[in-house]
Amino acid sequence: MLNEKRIKEAESNVKSYLAEGLLKKTISDKNIMNILLKNAKESLRVAKEAHQNNLSELWTIVWSYYAMFYYANAVLLKLGYKIGDKIVHKVTSDALIVYVRKRLKESFIEEYEKTKEEALNLAGIKADEIIESFDFERSKRGLIQYKTVEFEKKSKAKTSLQRAKEFANEMDKLIIEDTRED
C-alpha cells in the first residue's frame, strides 16, 4: 500500500515537475491517445505471448511494464497532462499518484457500492496497489534490464504480466469513463 510519505513525495515532485516543464497541462489529443493505447495493448499482447511461449522472462517483465506505462500516459493525457522528455518514468509514477489515484479510488467505490463501509477501505487499498504496482514494475524492470544479478525471473515475469493486465483493465475503465463525461 502507498504510504503517506510516498504520497507527499509525489505531490511535492509533481509541483516541481509542473514548474520545470517536466509535466505540462495540455488538451487531450485523440491521435496521441490512440498511439498510446495501441502501444499499451501491443506491449501487453507481446508480454502475454512471451510468457505463454516461455520466450523470455526478462522481456515479459519489460513489456508488461511498458503496457502499464503507456496506459498510465493515456489516462494522464485524458486528464489533461503530458509528460515531458526527461525522467519520464518517475514523472509518470508521481503523476499517477497525484492525478489518477483518487479517480481509481472513486471507480472502485462505485464497484463496491453495496458494501460502502468496507468499500472505502478496500477501494483505497486497491487504488494504492494499482498505482504502487507501477512503481514496483518500474524498479524491477530497471533492475532486471540493467543489472547482471541473476535471480528467479519466471515468477517475477508472471507477476509483472498479471500486474500489467490488472493495470490495463483499470486504466481502460478510466478512459472509457472519462470519454462518457466529454
Side-chain angles (χ1 to χ4, degrees):
M1 192 161 119
L2 290 172
N3 62 39
E4 200 58 37
K5 181 181 175 190
R6 177 68 180 103
I7 294 166
K8 295 289 184 207
E9 172 193 322
E11 290 169 347
S12 174
N13 287 347
V14 165
K15 287 177 187 172
S16 297
Y17 300 152
L18 287 166
E20 296 168 21
L22 297 173
L23 179 65
K24 299 172 185 154
K25 287 286 286 169
T26 190
I27 297 170
S28 185
D29 180 320
K30 288 198 186 280
N31 290 329
I32 294 172
M33 177 70 73
N34 288 337
I35 290 167
L36 290 169
L37 291 174
K38 179 182 172 281
N39 289 349
K41 291 173 184 176
E42 180 179 333
S43 296
L44 188 55
R45 181 185 53 79
V46 174
K48 288 177 188 175
E49 288 176 16
H51 182 68
Q52 289 169 347
N53 296 318
N54 291 316
L55 297 177
S56 170
E57 287 82 15
L58 165 67
W59 286 100
T60 298
I61 292 166
V62 172
W63 284 319
S64 294
Y65 168 77
Y66 274 100
M68 296 168 76
F69 176 77
Y70 288 124
Y71 268 113
N73 278 276
V75 169
L76 289 167
L77 181 62
K78 185 71 182 169
L79 296 175
Y81 295 95
K82 182 179 181 327
I83 308 300
D85 297 331
K86 296 179 183 168
I87 62 168
V88 295
H89 299 278
K90 179 67 172 149
V91 174
T92 299
S93 178
D94 289 339
L96 276 175
I97 292 169
V98 173
Y99 298 119
V100 178
R101 183 174 169 263
K102 182 179 177 198
R103 284 181 173 268
L104 271 174
K105 186 175 180 177
E106 290 167 359
S107 175
F108 288 123
I109 288 171
E110 287 176 22
E111 288 179 24
Y112 300 123
E113 201 169 55
K114 292 179 185 172
T115 55
K116 288 184 181 183
E117 180 94 25
E118 184 179 273
L120 288 172
N121 292 331
L122 290 175
I125 291 167
K126 187 72 173 169
D128 286 354
E129 286 174 353
I130 293 290
I131 299 298
E132 195 172 33
S133 71
F134 184 92
D135 261 352
F136 287 149
E137 291 306 313
R138 179 176 59 89
S139 298
K140 186 192 315 177
R141 189 253 333 160
L143 177 69
I144 289 178
Q145 197 169 4
Y146 299 113
K147 306 285 183 200
T148 56
V149 177
E150 281 296 320
F151 58 97
E152 179 60 37
K153 291 181 184 176
K154 191 164 189 84
S155 68
K156 297 210 179 289
K158 183 178 181 181
T159 301
S160 294
L161 182 56
Q162 186 57 41
R163 284 179 179 158
K165 287 178 188 176
E166 186 174 6
F167 190 88
N169 184 45
E170 296 306 327
M171 294 301 115
D172 268 340
K173 287 179 192 175
L174 289 178
I175 290 167
I176 290 167
E177 252 177 42
D178 286 342
T179 302
R180 280 188 265 136
E181 293 173 5
D182 290 345

